[in-house]
Amino acid sequence: MRIDLHTHSTVSDGTGTPEQVMHEAYEARLDIVALTDHDSIDGWGEASEVASGLGLGFVPGIEISAKDRWVSIHMLALWPRPFDEDLVAMLARTREARLTRAREMVGLIAADYPITWDDVMEFSGDAATVGRPHIADALVARGWFPTRDAVFADVLHNGSAYYVPHYAPDVHDAVRVIRAAGGVPVFAHPAAHARGKVVPDRVIRSLAAAGLAGLEIDHRDHDDASRTRLHDLAAKHDLVPTGSSDYHGEGKLNRLGENLTSPEAYEALRAQRG
């Protein structure tokens, strides 16, 4: 069984529609795939229907923006009830904050790299969640940078002069909301130092007590030492170890199925659905 529990579509910052992502998952010989767009469930219906027609197992998910004090955290929510009031309210507030932040950042960036909000909207299209990757795409299209990754390394990283923070719920609150909505929370790329600061081990211990189910360990942004440390933490705190691609289409180098979740880990997560 080839299982990938972390992918993105044009509903957030991927470059393929939910339908295209499911077809690509089929072509990558996946057996089960989750769609986990940032702070949105809008792609679930389309993805589920296409996956069913292809004989793919589909997992509805979300990558929820959260924080611990000043550290940004991404939390995968697998199988949550889509119309849970607290979950819907939390996602809506975060999407609005992301949109406001993106507008502010474009205003700052435009002073040095002439782009407009309309340029960004060309790339965000009908996305439910507008974010920095769409700004990056606009800068690449204007010829200022060769790739999304180059933009993030120079202009859009957390320490940049153009960076603007946005609201995100406390990660412990996010875990509780996910659990109350029947979902299964998995900490996405918890040791991805290249993305910015990461939380210390004590936070993972605290999250385990609050209801965290798993740690995404096998991920492109984790080196061997980080994977070993995370496996030790998972074993110590009874957390399910997972692996995922974090696929974004052409937006990133990540390829579908490059890291996978074992069937045993998948069943352990599925058993925790509310």
Side-chain angles (χ1 to χ4, degrees):
M1 292 284 285
R2 288 172 49 81
I3 303 167
D4 191 337
L5 297 179
H6 188 171
T7 72
H8 297 271
S9 75
T10 50
V11 168
S12 61
D13 55 349
T15 59
T17 65
E19 177 181 2
Q20 289 169 334
V21 174
M22 294 303 106
H23 278 286
E24 290 164 359
Y26 177 78
E27 292 166 4
R29 304 192 313 279
L30 294 178
D31 298 292
I32 297 172
V33 61
L35 183 66
T36 53
D37 279 308
H38 291 283
D39 302 305
S40 178
I41 67 170
D42 284 6
W44 287 6
E46 178 181 324
S48 177
E49 181 177 355
V50 174
S52 178
L54 294 170
L56 273 174
F58 176 70
V59 176
I62 314 162
E63 186 169 11
I64 292 176
S65 307
K67 65 181 179 181
D68 178 72
R69 299 182 184 180
W70 59 88
V71 180
S72 175
I73 293 175
H74 287 176
M75 188 64 62
L76 300 177
L78 305 176
W79 299 288
R81 291 187 292 274
F83 302 116
D84 179 86
E85 290 185 3
D86 290 338
L87 178 65
V88 169
M90 183 175 70
L91 297 179
R93 182 176 179 187
T94 303
R95 286 197 306 272
E96 183 60 31
R98 278 177 170 271
L99 181 62
T100 300
R101 186 270 291 268
R103 285 182 175 274
E104 291 181 17
M105 288 187 70
V106 169
L108 294 172
I109 293 167
D112 297 315
Y113 301 94
I115 60 169
T116 67
W117 183 246
D118 286 343
D119 292 331
V120 175
M121 293 302 290
E122 283 184 26
F123 291 94
S124 64
D126 295 327
T129 304
V130 179
R132 285 182 290 175
H134 301 117
I135 301 173
D137 289 344
L139 287 165
V140 170
R142 284 282 190 164
W144 293 109
F145 295 91
T147 64
R148 263 192 190 181
D149 286 344
V151 182
F152 270 87
D154 194 321
V155 173
L156 295 178
H157 62 87
N158 291 7
S160 165
Y162 309 105
Y163 179 76
V164 175
H166 68 83
Y167 161 81
D170 176 81
V171 67
H172 294 80
D173 292 337
V175 166
R176 293 186 189 102
V177 168
I178 293 166
R179 282 293 194 181
V184 181
V186 176
F187 196 151
H189 41 73
H193 294 275
R195 296 170 179 250
K197 292 184 177 182
V198 300
V199 296
D201 292 356
R202 61 174 174 77
V203 174
I204 293 176
R205 180 174 65 249
S206 176
L207 288 170
L212 181 66
L215 292 178
E216 186 181 60
I217 296 175
D218 292 324
H219 186 282
R220 173 181 283 263
D221 292 349
H222 291 169
D223 58 23
D224 289 343
S226 294
R227 295 184 190 208
T228 298
R229 180 178 66 84
L230 290 170
H231 272 293
D232 290 343
L233 278 170
K236 183 176 181 180
H237 300 297
D238 196 26
L239 298 170
V240 179
T242 73
S244 305
S245 66
D246 196 2
Y247 180 63
H248 284 73
E250 299 307 312
K252 290 185 177 182
L253 296 175
N254 310 44
R255 296 295 91 188
L256 280 165
E258 69 178 28
N259 289 291
L260 297 168
T261 294
S262 71
E264 295 78 15
Y266 174 76
E267 290 301 332
L269 292 175
R270 197 162 73 110
Q272 297 188 43
R273 292 181 299 175

